[in-house]
Amino acid sequence: MAIIIILNLFFLPIEKIVFQGNRSFKSRRLLEILPYKAKKEYEKASVLEGEENLKRFYFSKGFLFAQIETKIDSSKKGIVVRYLIEENERAKIREINFYGVDKKEVINLFPFPKYYDLEKIEEAKNKLLSYFKENGYYYITIDYDTLMSNKEVILNFYINKKIICYFKNIELKGINNIRPKTLFRLLEVKRGDRFSERKIEKSLTNLYQSNLFNKIYYLLIPDSLHKESLNLVFYFSIQKVRSLGLGFGYSFPPSRILFSLESGYFNFLNRGQELKLIQEFSPTINFKESALNLRLSYQVPFLGMRKINFFFYPFLIYEKKEKEKKLEIGEEVGFYYDLTKYWQISIYNRMKKSYFREEGKITNSFIIKNIFDTRDDYFSPERGIYFSPVIEIAGGLLKGDNDFLRIYGEFRNFKKVINLFVFCQRTFLGKIIPYGRTYEIPLYEKFLFGGRYSLRGYLDKEFSEDQLFYENLELRFKITKIFGFLLFFDWGLVDKDIKKSCGLGIRVSTPIGPLRIDYGNKVNELFKSFGKIYLGLGNVF
């Protein structure tokens, strides 16, 4: 009988793992520390290792006097492992001392930890390193230790700043026929500048954004005679400077074939300038309707010392429907500048001539556009916000045939909720105000919305208004790495009437963005009409 009990103990699975007394950390967090999981076969060594892991974890978080005991129980279904935890008082940091620098210089740089926590102390050390390296101290070293006093901790940082360093020479290796002067404009560092890691990293970002290179790395080589002098050497692997892309797709409703051709040159005139030609043609299956979009994109990165980017986008848009045709020819020309990592501002002129139900009319406008973007991913974000307010003034001193002020903005919010789904919100708000010679906004300048990208379940561009408000709400669920689904609710105001729709969608991840299949219907027509199915590439927002 005793032999049977022993065999059962060692071969039954672990039914569950229980933590008792863990007031400061959730059981889910503690489970991550254990080297085994429930439903696995019981192994005494793994359970004891789990106890040691828990003790080390509590100690690293400041619970220096925590007591942990393991208890093993058996049940009909297997083994129950219980960890009995007595946390006791958490050790506070009573005093922080800095040796080698003036305490006043660093104590207010950022919040230091209030409790003994090895991870946060190490984080504070790294922040101090970054601060001093930003101020030129390339050789700096920082150590720390702790002392106990009446169950409280004294934290000591030992900082050896050594000497301030400067960039002596900057070299570019492997750039082939790219003009060095073009690349030096992209760099944030200059000869004679103080050493700065942040400026080097920003330089790498600028160089990658030029689309000229597929790999860049750098070396810092101290000068053999003058230790304070650093030689910075960049090594480049150049990617193909010409590109050709062909695209084919299908969308409905209405049933429409999509063709696209894109050709580009990323080192135009050997100056890192970008030239692209994009051609898109999308006829319906019966060819009764079609759309043609031709765009030329010319960009000159980092003009002058302020690193302002110049762009020129001429375009032609032609739409043919059964009863009408629409043609727009125009251009956008201006500048954009990255104020911070997340904030970009664009200032440009748009001039276009529109042919729609009347002779061609010219709109000449001046536009200021801001983009504030903290999203963690471009295609399928799970966190962050996107905010883009725009002001456009047309006519007046700019002449043309239309005088109006257009103000609009788009706000997107993404938040992951307990690792189950992502809550996504988009709000679009805008208004057009006529002035001067214009008393009524022409149809081709109004806000057009409805359909796959705004109010799903309604016809594409079903509504045209001088003022606009609509909101999209989505719950996105990720089932596997490449497959997910979502529920959505769209609503908006049309002439003081609320339009509402809802539905669901499927997403399949691809290298060029998620494949989208959405079904939507008007709320007041649920179970009365079939609704609409949308097929496309990329999320709606």
Side-chain angles (χ1 to χ4, degrees):
M1 187 68 176
I3 295 175
I4 295 174
I5 292 174
I6 292 172
L7 289 174
N8 283 341
L9 181 63
F10 283 94
F11 290 99
L12 280 176
I14 297 174
E15 179 191 353
K16 60 181 178 179
I17 304 168
V18 179
F19 300 96
Q20 295 178 354
N22 51 313
R23 300 188 307 274
S24 301
F25 304 100
K26 294 182 179 180
S27 296
R28 185 173 60 187
R29 175 70 180 93
L30 299 182
L31 282 171
E32 297 174 357
I33 300 168
L34 301 181
Y36 65 94
K37 296 181 180 179
K39 310 305 179 185
K40 300 293 184 180
E41 183 179 327
Y42 170 79
E43 292 182 3
K44 183 178 179 180
S46 296
V47 173
L48 294 177
E49 184 184 347
E51 179 181 317
E52 293 302 315
N53 289 355
L54 290 170
K55 288 179 180 178
R56 284 193 293 268
F57 171 76
Y58 267 93
F59 188 90
S60 71
K61 294 300 181 182
F63 294 90
L64 307 183
F65 309 101
Q67 301 293 322
I68 300 175
E69 181 184 350
T70 305
K71 185 177 180 181
I72 306 297
D73 297 323
S74 60
S75 67
K76 293 180 180 180
K77 296 182 178 179
I79 302 299
V80 178
V81 181
R82 299 181 188 275
Y83 289 105
L84 309 179
I85 301 171
E86 187 178 345
E87 294 183 346
N88 293 316
E89 188 176 354
R90 190 176 189 184
K92 291 183 178 180
I93 295 179
R94 188 184 73 189
E95 183 180 340
I96 303 177
N97 298 312
F98 300 89
Y99 297 93
V101 297
D102 186 353
K103 185 174 182 177
K104 293 179 181 179
E105 180 184 356
V106 294
I107 192 63
N108 295 318
L109 289 176
F110 50 85
F112 284 85
K114 295 181 179 179
Y115 294 92
Y116 179 87
D117 186 324
L118 284 176
E119 184 179 338
K120 290 186 177 179
I121 293 173
E122 193 67 28
E123 183 181 319
K125 171 190 168 181
N126 291 332
K127 287 182 178 179
L128 286 170
L129 280 170
S130 297
Y131 167 75
F132 284 107
K133 286 191 173 183
E134 277 307 299
N135 286 276
Y137 294 97
Y138 173 70
Y139 298 105
I140 185 172
T141 60
I142 300 179
D143 296 308
Y144 65 86
D145 63 23
T146 56
L147 300 173
M148 289 295 300
S149 175
N150 297 324
K151 295 186 177 182
E152 293 183 320
V153 174
I154 298 173
L155 175 60
N156 300 313
F157 285 100
Y158 302 93
I159 301 173
N160 187 353
K161 295 193 294 185
K162 300 183 180 179
I163 57 176
I164 296 178
C165 296
Y166 300 85
F167 294 112
K168 180 181 179 181
N169 292 310
I170 301 174
E171 297 181 57
L172 309 175
K173 302 285 189 178
I175 61 175
N176 295 346
N177 61 342
I178 301 173
R179 292 184 59 187
K181 186 176 179 180
T182 298
L183 298 184
F184 277 116
R185 282 210 317 265
L186 301 177
L187 300 182
E188 297 288 332
V189 294
K190 301 288 186 293
R191 290 183 60 185
D193 286 354
R194 277 192 181 192
F195 167 75
S196 168
E197 277 190 338
R198 181 186 59 82
K199 287 185 177 181
I200 295 175
E201 293 301 320
K202 185 64 170 66
S203 298
L204 288 174
T205 300
N206 295 343
L207 291 166
Y208 274 118
Q209 286 178 347
S210 71
N211 294 319
L212 295 172
F213 312 104
N214 54 34
K215 190 174 182 180
I216 310 169
Y217 66 95
Y218 69 91
L219 290 178
L220 280 167
I221 305 172
D223 188 82
S224 56
L225 297 177
H226 304 283
K227 195 175 179 181
E228 71 277 7
S229 298
L230 301 172
N231 297 306
L232 176 59
V233 185
F234 288 96
Y235 296 86
F236 299 91
S237 174
I238 298 178
Q239 65 180 1
K240 294 180 179 179
V241 295
R242 293 179 176 85
S243 69
L244 180 66
L246 297 172
F248 175 80
Y250 174 76
S251 70
F252 68 93
S255 295
R256 187 182 291 271
I257 305 172
L258 308 174
F259 303 96
S260 67
L261 173 64
E262 179 179 314
S263 55
Y265 189 55
F266 299 107
N267 189 26
F268 188 56
L269 301 178
N270 289 332
R271 296 172 181 264
Q273 300 173 9
E274 180 181 290
L275 186 66
K276 280 185 180 180
L277 176 63
I278 302 105
Q279 306 160 74
E280 298 172 345
F281 179 58
S282 55
T284 55
I285 296 294
N286 57 15
F287 280 85
K288 290 185 178 180
E289 297 184 5
S290 62
L292 176 66
N293 191 341
L294 299 178
R295 287 174 288 153
L296 181 68
S297 170
Y298 173 58
Q299 294 192 55
V300 181
F302 289 4
L303 287 173
M305 297 301 295
R306 296 298 298 174
K307 295 181 170 54
I308 297 173
N309 304 274
F310 170 80
F311 65 88
F312 175 56
Y313 302 152
F315 60 87
L316 181 150
I317 301 172
Y318 174 74
E319 291 184 29
K320 173 190 172 185
K321 296 187 177 181
E322 292 190 27
K323 297 183 179 179
E324 61 187 22
K325 298 178 182 178
K326 179 182 177 181
L327 173 65
E328 284 188 354
I329 302 173
E331 52 77 23
E332 293 180 353
V333 58
F335 304 89
Y336 67 91
Y337 178 65
D338 294 321
L339 292 169
T340 69
K341 179 181 178 181
Y342 305 109
W343 184 11
Q344 182 186 97
I345 184 170
S346 304
I347 300 175
Y348 57 98
N349 165 252
R350 178 194 291 147
M351 184 167 64
K352 64 179 181 180
K353 191 168 187 177
S354 302
Y355 299 86
F356 184 68
R357 297 181 182 175
E358 55 182 316
E359 292 297 322
K361 297 292 184 179
I362 293 176
T363 301
N364 194 14
S365 59
F366 176 76
I367 300 170
I368 301 176
K369 180 178 182 179
N370 285 269
I371 296 178
F372 185 78
D373 190 354
T374 66
R375 294 174 297 175
D376 59 353
D377 185 77
Y378 180 80
F379 290 123
S380 300
E382 294 184 345
R383 294 178 179 83
I385 64 170
Y386 174 94
F387 178 51
S388 179
V390 182
I391 297 176
E392 177 184 2
I393 183 165
L397 296 175
L398 299 173
K399 302 300 180 179
D401 298 307
N402 298 303
D403 299 333
F404 62 81
L405 173 66
R406 188 199 312 264
I407 304 173
Y408 64 94
E410 180 181 7
F411 176 77
R412 307 177 192 177
N413 182 32
F414 303 89
K415 186 173 184 181
K416 194 168 187 178
V417 182
I418 58 174
N419 289 325
L420 291 178
F421 60 86
V422 179
F423 171 74
C424 312
Q425 171 200 11
R426 176 175 68 170
T427 303
F428 199 104
L429 180 67
K431 186 176 179 64
I432 309 176
I433 305 169
Y435 73 93
R437 300 163 297 165
T438 301
Y439 297 96
E440 183 178 351
I441 301 298
L443 183 60
Y444 55 84
E445 290 294 351
K446 290 187 176 185
F447 293 112
L448 302 176
F449 64 106
R452 71 188 69 228
Y453 295 114
S454 50
L455 298 179
R456 287 161 282 192
Y458 290 84
L459 297 175
D460 282 345
K461 300 179 183 178
E462 181 173 344
F463 309 110
S464 59
E465 298 289 328
D466 294 351
Q467 54 187 5
L468 170 66
F469 172 82
Y470 67 81
E471 185 174 49
N472 309 109
L473 303 173
E474 293 186 354
L475 295 180
R476 298 176 184 172
F477 300 84
K478 196 168 187 178
I479 307 303
T480 67
K481 287 185 177 180
I482 64 170
F483 179 78
F485 77 95
L486 61 84
L487 304 173
F488 68 80
F489 177 77
D490 302 334
W491 71 286
L493 291 176
V494 178
D495 195 21
K496 299 182 180 180
D497 183 25
I498 298 178
K499 305 293 184 181
K500 296 177 287 186
S501 66
C502 60
L504 50 87
I506 296 173
R507 298 292 183 269
V508 181
S509 296
T510 73
I512 56 174
L515 176 66
R516 179 182 76 250
I517 304 174
D518 285 343
Y519 167 78
N521 202 351
K522 304 172 186 176
V523 169
N524 58 0
E525 292 188 11
L526 288 176
F527 310 112
K528 297 179 183 179
S529 64
F530 180 74
K532 290 179 171 55
I533 298 175
Y534 303 99
L535 175 66
L537 189 65
N539 281 302
V540 173
F541 63 96

